[in-house]
């Protein structure tokens, strides 16, 4: 009997896990197309590529054996992505609500780990949030101030708690916070970087990818 024949097949190669790499590659390609479209100013490319991102990443997480809450969080992120393609206040609020449900899923997922989150990191996040809200408050439309403040508090809690699963999720939470801060500065009509939508999407895509990879890696490490 050859060594190849006697070696047991890897479970992920024989089951649904064999689709993990194609799904991840498809996600990265869609992300590259979306970002390139934003840099080139082709709105149609963004309208087509953006809605593909989170379903592909959710599929990757699912076939890698990620927890169901991770898949749900990513799909609510997809809902937020789709709503935010429309440029009006109602769509913005619906998108923010969809993202908020995703953050609740992440918080619940991170809460399953009994490791304490770093207190110093939490204090730093609270200070950053407080300073940011004080600075931006008067520049936000009055009807969006309370929803933005509540959403920002939830997002900050998620970003802080994400650190319990390691550096990947910690970085993902921080980048998610940065991405949404860039959106808020646009609503407040603060000075922005060139190609602002590119930077919003770059930080958002990286955030969701790092969160998904961190959760999947942590889950695989916990298995016997």
């Amino acid at each position: 009997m050859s060594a190849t024949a006697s070696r047991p097949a890897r479970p992920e190669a024989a089951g649904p896990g064999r689709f993990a790499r194609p799904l991840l590659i498809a996600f990265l390609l869609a992300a590259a197309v979306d970002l390139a479209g934003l840099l080139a100013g082709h709105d149609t490319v963004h309208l087509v590529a953006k809605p593909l991102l989170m379903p592909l990443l959710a599929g990757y997480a699912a076939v890698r054996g990620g927890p169901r809450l991770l898949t749900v969080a990513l799909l609510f992120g997809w809902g937020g992505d789709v709503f935010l393609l429309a440029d009006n206040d109602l769509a913005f609020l619906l998108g923010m609500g969809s993202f908020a449900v995703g953050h609740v899923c992440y918080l619940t997922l991170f809460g399953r780990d009994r490791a304490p989150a770093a207190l110093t990191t939490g204090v730093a996040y609270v200070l950053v949030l407080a300073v940011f809200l004080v600075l931006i408050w008067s520049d936000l439309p009055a009807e969006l101030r309370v929803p933005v403040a509540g959403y920002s508090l939830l997002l900050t809690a998620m970003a802080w708690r994400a650190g319990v699963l390691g550096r990947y999720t910690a970085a993902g939470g921080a980048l998610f916070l940065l991405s949404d801060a860039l959106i808020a500065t646009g609503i407040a009509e603060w000075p922005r970087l060139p190609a602002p939508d590119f930077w919003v999407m770059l930080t958002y895509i990286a955030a969701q990818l790092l969160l998904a990879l961190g959760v999947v890696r942590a889950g695989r490490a916990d298995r016997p």
Side-chain angles (χ1 to χ4, degrees):
M1 182 181 293
S2 68
T4 303
S6 62
R7 186 181 302 125
R10 293 172 60 189
E12 60 267 27
R18 68 184 182 276
F19 298 112
R21 181 172 294 181
L23 284 167
L24 182 58
I25 291 173
F27 167 78
L28 294 174
L29 286 174
V33 169
D34 186 40
L35 295 172
L38 289 171
L39 281 177
H42 296 317
D43 292 341
T44 302
V45 174
H46 180 58
L47 288 173
V48 173
K50 185 181 181 183
L52 299 177
L53 294 171
M54 291 307 108
L56 289 170
L57 188 56
Y60 167 78
V63 300
R64 282 292 306 274
R68 186 173 300 175
L69 270 177
L70 172 61
T71 303
V72 174
L74 292 169
L75 291 178
F76 272 105
W78 171 76
D81 290 343
V82 172
F83 281 123
L84 292 185
L85 287 172
D87 188 16
N88 59 70
D89 287 350
L90 176 60
F92 176 78
L93 289 171
L94 290 172
M96 189 165 57
S98 189
F99 278 121
V101 176
H103 296 324
V104 170
C105 292
Y106 277 129
L107 270 172
T108 305
L109 185 60
F110 300 146
R112 291 175 175 176
D113 193 300
R114 297 186 180 278
L119 180 59
T120 53
T121 304
V123 172
Y125 271 130
V126 168
L127 288 175
V128 169
L129 174 63
V131 171
F132 182 72
L133 287 177
V134 167
L135 292 175
I136 205 171
W137 189 260
S138 61
D139 294 327
L140 290 172
E143 66 275 12
L144 294 181
R145 289 173 183 168
V146 172
V148 167
Y151 173 82
S152 299
L153 182 61
L154 177 62
L155 173 56
T156 302
M158 186 280 289
W160 170 54
R161 187 64 189 171
V164 299
L165 292 188
R167 286 180 288 184
Y168 277 30
T169 50
L175 283 172
F176 215 134
L177 194 61
L178 175 59
S179 180
D180 280 15
L182 292 174
I183 294 175
T185 58
I187 295 171
E189 299 184 351
W190 283 12
R192 307 180 76 187
L193 294 168
D197 291 339
F198 169 83
W199 297 108
V200 168
M201 285 304 298
L202 178 63
T203 50
Y204 168 70
I205 290 168
Q208 292 280 40
L209 177 60
L210 287 168
L211 286 168
L213 291 176
V215 171
V216 169
R217 285 164 60 95
R220 291 173 71 87
D222 287 342
R223 294 172 194 157

